[in-house]
Amino acid sequence: MASVLGTAVKRREDPRLITGRGRYTDDVQLPGMLYACILRSPHAHARIKRIDVSQAKAAPGVVAVFTGQDLVGRMGTIPTAWLPPDSGIRTTAHPALAVDRVRYVGDGVAMVVAEDRYQARDAVDLIRVEYEVLPAVVDQEEALSEGAPQVHDDAPGNLAFHWKAGNATDEVFAQAEVVVRQRFRQQRLIPNPMEPRSAVADFNASTGELTMWLTSQNPHIHRLLLSGILGIPEHKLRVVAVDVGGGFGAKIACYPDEALVGFAALQLGRPVKWTEDRRENFMATTHGRDMILDVEFAGRRDGTFTAIRVKNIANMGAYLSTAAPGVPTILFGLIVPGPYRIPYAGVDVRGVFTNTTPTDAYRGAGRPEATYLLERMVDLFAREIGMDPVEVRRRNLIPADAFPYNTAMGLQYDSGNYEEALDKALAMLGYEKFREEQEKLRAEGRYLGVGVTTYVEICGLGPSQVAGAVGFQGGLWESATVRVHPSGKVTAFTGTSPHGQGEETTFAQIVSAKLGVPVEDVEVVHGDTHRIAMGWGTYGSRTTPVGGSALAVAADRVVEKAKKIAAHMLEVAEEDVVFADGVFAVQGAPSRRATFQEVALQAYLAWNLPAGVEPALEGSAFYDPTNFVYPFGTHICVVEVLPDTGEVKILRYIAVDDPGPVINPMIAEGQVHGGIVQGIGQALWEGALYDEQGQLVSGTFMDYAMPKARFFPAFETAFTETPSPHTPLGVKGIGETGTIAATPTVVNAVMDALAHLGVRDIDMPLTPERVWRAIRDGRDGA
Amino acid sequence: MEGQKVAVRITVNGTVRTAMVEPRTLLVHFLRDGLGLTGTHVGCDTSQCGACTVLLNGEAVKSCTVLAVQADGAEVTTVEGLGSLDALHPVQAGFWEKHGLQCGFCTPGVMMAAVALLKENPNPTEEEIREGLEGVLCRCTGYQNIVRAIQYAAKQLASEAEPSEQVAAAGGDA
């Protein structure tokens, strides 16, 4: 039997999703259910002088109205769960509804609970709030300046934390042959999963149990945090998040709104549903990126890189969201040297409070920002010394025989063959030929450009000991249970929580391959804290390398036990039994055999088990990885810039990624496609904008440019497969590679197209207007 | 504000449904909250994302921007009426076959838009498909496999229509 690993098994989650039988949170309908609607601050910064809810309370269908004052002492505040060490981090109080001050447009002020959606929404409009508007600060650099409005009284100077790492000194830069300096702005992005956030809470007073359906990437983390906020012990709190409509980081955080829904259900004794509308999603669901990056890059004229250091001013918004402080520090800083031999690296990160929506993880979380500045600097350096950007990369890539490789930032890259991926991608393009064509077309007044990114990312989060050392307030191991039923059918439980990544399929493939049972015989269960002991969820491309590894180990334990039972059945010593393709056979006498299913039945009947073997057949694992995993690859983009309009047309996009052995090539390719589109979205179109008063002016799909189908050609994708030496299946991760690599690839391509005009940099997004101005001026655009 | 309720009679997936609704009730809320047909999703309530796309008298509309009363007397098809598991519509089959969905949230709307697209243009080029998806947003797939799914469906639909053409063609060749 050929292994099911590496094959394009059609997705197991699809039948319900293509027939409208998925069950997303807003689809949950319970008898007697109430609907909640939240009044949000229209001001970026204001003192609440008075709230009058009397009219709202008297409105038709209204059951309750809660304000911040009503919650004081009755409900906990919203915690921050990543505290980078030695950073002086200040976690200011974050009440679920503002008590006396609002700090961003969208900050919750009151919640109405009513008999139906429309009544709740109507009543919100009847709440009268008297505000004293205060000066607001939006830009993080301004927020650090003297005399800036103070977002929190207990965070003077608006400084939330200051974190430094690395070994790059002034001396290294003073002695360098060539130093290139550049400021980059990582614009603020809005994650926009297509499913808005939603929560349904149902309290059963007779059992004391609260059930919450949540749009969550990590239901067990939500259970743990909500348990503390609501005062419900964990064993009485069930969080369900089976069908979740995308997350991209925005459904990691523990938000005030979902906690409020739980609080309301506890108070009112009836089920309560809340679903944000898209406008609320823009205002009150976490944003991503938003960093000001000052970079210094040093090297020699022969093309050798010697040092990189970055000053990062990161906009954290009005409060420190759940995982937010880890993003511009650990997840960003540690990967700054990328796939290159750079002996000296350093980062200096200041996290800053502003009167804006809190930021947190967004697909890639820190790693796209680091990769962007590195790859842009490599191109600027190549231009400075007059060397081809591919050649300069090749000279500095960590060679395949140098792994495991210890970086200047203290990571140990596990494995890699960076040049193989580079060569493969260049061959797919025909790099030399493109350069000739580019020159010819340039003479005709056509501006073509190519961008090449070689990247490595850190993912598979992560070893728990390291998680602790970097200030993450949780473990990052993963749980799995493989339960074999008497018939030999299998239920596989995972503590990860996929929401579109397809692990109901790929995990079934892993278990199927291990046990030698048909893939149809394996059902994967996730997203329910009452069915799965514990888990840390899906983010940071950890699901397959950590959760999949846990399942592999659990399945191995099943085989181990089954082998003992099979040996007993076959009346031979355990060492004489070989297991392959779902059959236990006697070494040298293959006709003496027992199928996996026969062994499973005997395990449950338990009439005649070997001494010391317990009945039943089940394996569990709590798998803690020994290192992160480091997928890598090369992406190439060819663009044409239209000089008359500044429009950027993507002519070709090539992605060669190495996620280790590919379990399901169809699903892996799909992950790459989606990631590329999000990465290109940042390069060319997407950007959240606030005005000076702190109003979000890109607050709808009319104003925030989401990528559409017609913006893209068909992508050309391929894989190389370098196994990780420390995961049981050698797998790494694929969920974020596209987003990490695509943004600099496209921007470098545009800069290459305009190089002959002297344009070095344009702030993202590279809108036609910005590009056109840069062409006109023959200089940097802003 | 709350208004007086009015009667509507809408044929949904072949079944006549009558109800008293507020005049302001959106068709999507009538379908989801009223009839429990939760396959149609709300992604933006402002008619940009297309997650709520259904067929109204055979035409793709965004049901977050249609009032239930506007659908009075009309025929509505939602994803639940598109095809069943044992008899998938070619568009559904294409989405499954070609990995045209990830989280699946936009999928019902995108599929309904695709059905309308193929009705209008049974043999679209890749470019025409991409243009035809103007009214829907997908954040997961990068659209490439949605395009493949629709191409697959176009082929399936063509081959379903083929037998009679084949006979004609065979006659012509002979």
Side-chain angles (χ1 to χ4, degrees):
Chain A
M1 192 171 79
S3 173
V4 70
L5 295 179
T7 64
V9 175
K10 276 173 28 177
R11 290 214 320 174
R12 308 282 297 280
E13 35 281 88
D14 288 3
R16 67 176 187 272
L17 301 179
I18 57 174
T19 55
R21 268 77 175 182
R23 203 183 194 210
Y24 300 91
T25 302
D26 191 67
D27 299 343
V28 174
Q29 300 198 5
L30 302 173
M33 190 166 72
L34 300 167
Y35 292 81
C37 188
I38 293 168
L39 174 69
R40 299 186 182 280
S41 170
H43 303 293
H45 197 189
R47 209 173 298 286
I48 298 172
K49 295 177 75 175
R50 210 170 65 90
I51 305 180
D52 177 1
V53 299
S54 55
Q55 274 191 66
K57 272 190 169 157
V62 170
V63 175
V65 181
F66 300 105
T67 66
Q69 207 63 56
D70 298 331
L71 309 180
V72 175
R74 297 167 73 193
M75 180 180 165
T77 55
I78 307 303
T80 304
W82 199 333
L83 312 171
D86 308 317
S87 67
I89 188 163
R90 294 189 183 95
T91 55
T92 58
H94 184 186
L97 290 171
V99 178
D100 52 2
R101 226 162 113 191
V102 288
R103 293 186 169 86
Y104 69 97
V105 171
D107 211 350
V109 174
M111 183 169 78
V112 172
V113 186
E115 296 288 343
D116 77 29
R117 290 180 201 267
Y118 289 32
Q119 289 171 331
R121 183 70 171 264
D122 285 343
V124 157
D125 290 342
L126 298 173
I127 299 171
R128 298 280 168 258
V129 186
E130 204 180 311
Y131 293 102
E132 178 196 339
V133 178
L134 301 170
V137 64
V138 170
D139 178 271
Q140 60 266 48
E141 206 167 26
E142 271 175 51
L144 287 178
S145 66
E146 214 168 301
Q150 296 296 293
V151 181
H152 295 276
D153 296 336
D154 48 355
N158 296 317
L159 187 65
F161 55 83
H162 191 177
W163 183 82
K164 295 179 204 179
N167 61 355
T169 58
D170 288 342
E171 206 187 346
V172 172
F173 284 88
Q175 290 172 359
E177 263 180 44
V178 182
V179 178
V180 182
R181 294 184 176 83
Q182 185 66 41
R183 164 171 279 212
F184 298 110
R185 179 113 208 188
Q186 274 281 331
Q187 82 271 35
R188 179 179 282 242
L189 300 179
I190 299 182
N192 273 320
M194 294 319 301
E195 179 201 29
R197 275 189 301 129
S198 180
V200 174
D202 183 23
F203 181 59
N204 183 334
S206 60
T207 60
E209 189 170 299
L210 179 69
T211 303
M212 293 191 73
W213 288 263
L214 288 183
T215 48
S216 170
Q217 296 179 222
N218 30 246
H220 290 89
I221 293 182
H222 277 127
R223 181 182 65 169
L224 178 62
L225 296 176
L226 287 167
S227 163
I229 296 166
L230 298 172
I232 297 268
E234 266 183 292
H235 67 300
K236 295 285 190 185
L237 178 56
R238 177 182 191 181
V239 175
V240 183
V242 178
D243 284 332
V244 175
F248 313 111
K251 291 172 182 169
I252 295 172
C254 182
Y255 289 92
D257 313 318
E258 286 86 330
L260 281 168
V261 175
F263 175 81
L266 289 172
Q267 296 296 313
L268 303 173
R270 286 174 67 181
V272 179
K273 177 190 284 187
W274 165 82
T275 301
E276 65 180 359
D277 63 22
R278 183 57 59 179
R279 193 168 147 267
E280 287 180 282
N281 179 273
F282 271 96
M283 288 191 298
T285 293
T286 54
H287 296 173
R289 318 282 192 257
D290 205 345
M291 300 174 188
I292 296 170
L293 303 162
D294 285 299
V295 193
E296 292 174 282
F297 189 91
R300 292 200 288 268
R301 296 233 161 252
D302 67 0
T304 311
F305 304 161
T306 54
I308 182 168
R309 69 177 171 185
V310 189
K311 281 193 173 151
N312 178 354
I313 312 176
N315 194 334
M316 307 311 293
Y319 301 98
L320 292 177
S321 177
T322 311
V327 175
T329 53
I330 313 301
L331 294 176
F332 165 87
L334 298 186
I335 205 74
V336 155
Y340 309 111
R341 280 174 298 186
I342 305 182
Y344 300 100
V347 290
D348 176 307
V349 185
R350 282 176 291 174
V352 183
F353 288 115
T354 62
N355 295 112
T356 62
T357 299
T359 56
D360 204 322
Y362 172 57
R363 198 171 191 171
R367 292 150 291 165
E369 297 93 315
T371 305
Y372 182 79
L373 70 87
L374 175 62
E375 289 303 292
R376 292 283 298 114
M377 291 311 285
V378 167
D379 266 32
L380 291 172
F381 175 75
R383 200 187 282 197
E384 180 73 25
I385 62 167
M387 189 177 279
D388 180 87
V390 169
E391 180 54 28
V392 84
R393 283 179 170 80
R394 194 184 290 285
R395 286 189 186 197
N396 290 280
L397 286 174
I398 299 164
D401 60 9
F403 293 94
Y405 179 86
N406 295 315
T407 77
M409 295 306 293
L411 295 176
Q412 186 179 82
Y413 294 169
D414 57 353
S415 64
N417 191 342
Y418 300 163
E419 229 177 329
E420 184 193 12
L422 174 63
D423 286 334
K424 191 165 180 166
L426 291 173
M428 284 165 75
L429 170 68
Y431 184 71
E432 302 301 329
K433 204 163 155 248
F434 170 80
R435 284 293 185 198
E436 288 165 25
E437 195 189 322
Q438 178 187 34
E439 208 173 311
K440 213 167 66 196
L441 289 172
R442 197 169 275 171
E444 296 170 17
R446 288 181 62 188
Y447 300 169
L448 269 69
V450 63
V452 178
T453 287
T454 45
Y455 75 92
V456 61
E457 67 150 321
I458 169 175
C459 70
L461 314 177
S464 299
Q465 204 181 347
V466 179
V470 299
F472 183 69
Q473 304 297 298
L476 282 170
W477 51 270
E478 202 44 80
S479 83
T481 296
V482 174
R483 181 170 301 155
V484 183
H485 304 288
S487 59
K489 310 286 184 196
V490 183
T491 309
F493 300 85
T494 174
T496 61
S497 200
H499 42 279
Q501 298 87 345
E503 277 85 1
E504 285 178 34
T505 308
T506 47
F507 281 8
Q509 288 178 259
I510 290 174
V511 173
S512 158
K514 284 284 185 189
L515 304 184
V517 300
V519 71
E520 303 77 42
D521 286 2
V522 184
E523 193 70 24
V524 176
V525 174
H526 63 85
D528 185 340
T529 60
H530 264 29
R531 299 188 73 186
I532 297 131
M534 183 55 196
W536 295 98
T538 285
Y539 43 80
S541 300
R542 69 185 299 277
T543 309
T544 301
V546 188
S549 295
L551 266 176
V553 174
D556 283 341
R557 288 179 181 158
V558 165
V559 172
E560 205 179 306
K561 179 172 177 180
K563 203 170 180 182
K564 286 187 172 58
I565 298 169
H568 188 67
M569 287 164 69
L570 298 168
E571 298 178 326
V572 292
E574 205 187 321
E575 307 82 70
D576 295 330
V577 173
V578 286
F579 179 61
D581 298 338
V583 175
F584 296 91
V586 175
Q587 180 97 48
S591 61
R592 292 178 63 199
R593 61 209 292 274
T595 65
F596 181 80
Q597 289 77 4
E598 287 164 350
V599 175
L601 183 63
Q602 291 308 316
Y604 278 91
L605 294 176
W607 294 338
N608 181 16
L609 291 178
V613 173
E614 290 179 353
L617 190 55
E618 176 170 318
S620 284
F622 299 91
Y623 170 82
D624 203 348
T626 54
N627 191 359
F628 299 104
V629 286
Y630 299 92
F632 60 87
T634 297
H635 284 213
I636 300 180
C637 182
V638 175
V639 300
E640 177 164 11
V641 179
L642 306 183
D644 292 342
T645 60
E647 196 185 342
V648 176
K649 286 176 69 173
I650 295 163
L651 303 183
R652 287 184 75 183
Y653 196 98
I654 294 162
V656 176
D657 296 288
D658 191 319
V662 174
I663 294 170
N664 184 320
M666 179 185 77
I667 290 175
E669 190 195 20
Q671 289 297 303
V672 174
H673 290 167
I676 292 171
V677 160
Q678 278 178 305
I680 298 177
Q682 173 170 21
L684 297 182
W685 309 294
E686 294 185 41
L689 284 179
Y690 284 94
D691 69 12
E692 282 176 11
Q693 284 77 44
Q695 291 294 334
L696 181 66
V697 292
S698 58
T700 72
F701 283 142
M702 284 293 277
D703 315 292
Y704 185 89
M706 292 276 282
K708 292 194 171 185
R710 67 180 167 83
F711 299 175
F712 305 98
F715 306 135
E716 303 155 62
T717 60
F719 296 107
T720 59
E721 301 186 46
T722 309
S724 165
H726 64 83
T727 62
L729 300 166
V731 295
K732 299 187 271 190
I734 193 66
E736 296 163 300
T737 57
T739 314
I740 288 168
T743 312
T745 308
V746 171
V747 174
N748 276 340
V750 175
M751 294 313 134
D752 183 57
L754 304 180
H756 63 294
L757 303 172
V759 179
R760 284 175 85 247
D761 189 50
I762 302 174
D763 276 349
M764 293 189 292
L766 272 52
T767 56
E769 185 190 345
R770 285 179 180 173
V771 174
W772 180 83
R773 284 181 190 283
I775 293 170
R776 184 193 61 180
D777 300 345
R779 57 177 167 77
D780 294 1
Chain B
M1 290 302 292
E2 256 189 325
Q4 217 172 1
K5 292 195 172 178
V6 295
V8 291
R9 186 174 192 282
I10 305 172
T11 305
V12 181
N13 300 330
T15 305
V16 176
R17 313 297 292 253
T18 54
M20 298 297 289
V21 300
E22 283 184 56
R24 64 175 177 172
T25 302
L26 298 172
L27 178 58
V28 69
H29 287 145
F30 173 75
L31 294 170
R32 287 180 55 80
D33 296 346
L35 304 183
L37 292 171
T38 55
T40 302
H41 300 145
V42 182
C44 73
D45 1 60
T46 46
S47 71
Q48 277 114 21
C49 82
C52 65
T53 304
V54 299
L55 300 182
L56 182 67
N57 292 332
E59 264 187 58
V61 298
K62 291 173 176 174
S63 61
C64 76
T65 317
V66 175
L67 298 168
V69 293
Q70 289 177 287
D72 187 28
E75 285 192 19
V76 171
T77 308
T78 70
V79 65
E80 289 93 342
L82 192 56
S84 62
L85 260 188
D86 47 6
L88 290 175
H89 185 281
V91 167
Q92 290 171 307
F95 272 72
W96 193 7
E97 196 68 42
K98 296 295 175 187
H99 189 29
L101 63 149
Q102 290 181 23
C103 81
F105 191 80
C106 75
T107 310
V110 176
M111 290 195 304
M112 299 316 280
V115 169
L117 167 71
L118 291 176
K119 206 175 112 191
E120 215 168 275
N121 181 358
N123 189 22
T125 62
E126 175 174 347
E127 204 181 334
E128 286 167 343
I129 294 173
R130 287 181 182 270
E131 290 285 342
L133 293 170
E134 177 65 20
V136 295
L137 292 174
C138 169
R139 195 59 151 167
C140 291
T141 62
Y143 302 104
Q144 187 151 328
N145 288 343
I146 291 179
V147 173
R148 287 173 177 166
I150 295 171
Q151 287 170 330
Y152 176 96
K155 268 194 204 137
Q156 287 286 112
L157 287 164
S159 70
E160 277 174 21
E162 211 167 282
S164 56
E165 287 166 27
Q166 261 178 351
V167 172
D173 285 348

